[in-house]
Amino acid sequence: DSGVTQTPKHLITATGQRVTLRCSPRSGDLSVYWYQQSLDQGLQFLIQYYNGEERAKGNILERFSAQQFPDLHSELNLSSLELGDSALYFCASSVSTGRDTGELFFGEGSRLTVL
Amino acid sequence: GQQLNQSPQSMFIQEGEDVSMNCTSSSIFNTWLWYKQDPGEGPVLLIALYKAGELTSNGRLTAQFGITRKDSFLNISASIPSDVGIYFCAGTPKGGGADGLTFGKGTHLIIQP
């Protein structure tokens, strides 16, 4: 158990819909990262938050947005869903911004299926 | 963003064999890390390397940070069934981690009985 909690574990929805994925980081970790994992693309970095503020942005689509709340939990919002958005979405946390260590603790992921 | 080339893509080995996989980049990395992902789980950190030339072991696992800072390898000795999974290399590029931690595409390790 990494200490990172993600909900829901599985989600099935239709194209055009909007979903929210939730992540609670390990106790004491200030940084939260979101990654997308699909079969042909591996782990793709989406976005990072540190203590409530956006710190780094990767290949995140404009239809996707995220935020980190004062209690440090984070939500990833995916809207106008397309078939190609079907993937595993991982949240990870670390104590620091991640610049120094790269040592991340991953949750078990949320599997999104868009039909 | 930065690209990491990880090889091989997959390995089919017999239990007890040694395993070797590597990761290369065209640019310099400040850190190299190796993660393992079991089926249905998130990646778990195995080994972290922070200095060029560093050689670090974790049980049957050994990893090295290449002297050029553009590559790393992971060796697993005397493989056992629980070694099955996907192994990812990852790194933070020189100049900071503004792009986030970059992952290779993974090496699928399959152990044949």
Side-chain angles (χ1 to χ4, degrees):
Chain A
D1 182 5
S2 67
V4 178
T5 304
Q6 286 188 250
T7 57
K9 288 198 182 338
H10 301 276
L11 192 54
I12 301 174
T13 188
T15 54
Q17 295 298 305
R18 182 178 190 276
V19 299
T20 297
L21 309 180
R22 182 189 166 99
C23 170
S24 293
R26 286 190 324 158
S27 176
D29 284 358
L30 300 178
S31 274
V32 169
Y33 304 73
W34 286 98
Y35 283 84
Q36 180 191 57
Q37 185 178 36
S38 52
L39 280 174
D40 57 346
Q41 291 295 322
L43 278 162
Q44 296 291 314
F45 170 65
L46 296 179
I47 198 164
Q48 177 202 353
Y49 281 82
Y50 177 73
N51 204 21
E53 293 188 1
E54 183 182 305
R55 182 56 64 97
K57 213 170 201 178
N59 298 320
I60 187 166
L61 299 172
E62 285 190 11
R63 301 183 285 109
F64 296 180
S65 65
Q67 54 184 326
Q68 185 179 27
F69 296 86
D71 66 354
L72 300 178
H73 91 271
S74 178
E75 292 181 356
L76 178 67
N77 301 298
L78 315 174
S79 62
S80 302
L81 286 168
E82 302 174 359
L83 295 178
D85 297 328
S86 296
L88 262 173
Y89 291 84
F90 284 105
C91 170
S93 73
S94 73
V95 173
S96 71
T97 62
R99 286 188 173 200
D100 296 328
T101 71
E103 296 181 20
L104 304 185
F105 294 85
F106 283 82
E108 292 187 344
S110 292
R111 181 174 292 281
L112 173 65
T113 302
V114 182
L115 301 176
Chain B
Q2 306 293 334
Q3 297 280 342
L4 290 182
N5 301 307
Q6 189 171 349
S7 64
Q9 280 190 325
S10 56
M11 301 183 72
F12 295 80
I13 63 167
Q14 301 283 341
E15 183 177 348
E17 287 185 25
D18 295 342
V19 171
S20 184
M21 58 191 80
N22 68 81
C23 206
T24 61
S25 171
S26 58
S27 46
I28 289 173
F29 275 65
N30 281 342
T31 62
W32 283 96
L33 306 104
W34 287 90
Y35 285 82
K36 183 195 177 197
Q37 184 177 21
D38 289 329
E41 305 285 332
V44 173
L45 180 65
L46 298 174
I47 292 179
L49 303 155
Y50 299 106
K51 191 176 175 182
E54 180 181 354
L55 183 71
T56 296
S57 292
N58 178 6
R60 293 177 296 104
L61 277 60
T62 302
Q64 184 158 30
F65 190 141
I67 199 73
T68 65
R69 297 170 68 188
K70 294 182 178 181
D71 64 321
S72 176
F73 72 74
L74 174 71
N75 289 339
I76 305 172
S77 63
S79 59
I80 59 177
S82 62
D83 291 334
V84 165
I86 307 175
Y87 292 80
F88 291 99
C89 63
T92 55
K94 183 182 177 184
D99 292 328
L101 191 63
T102 302
F103 282 82
K105 293 203 171 183
T107 294
H108 293 242
L109 180 60
I110 298 155
I111 298 179
Q112 297 170 325

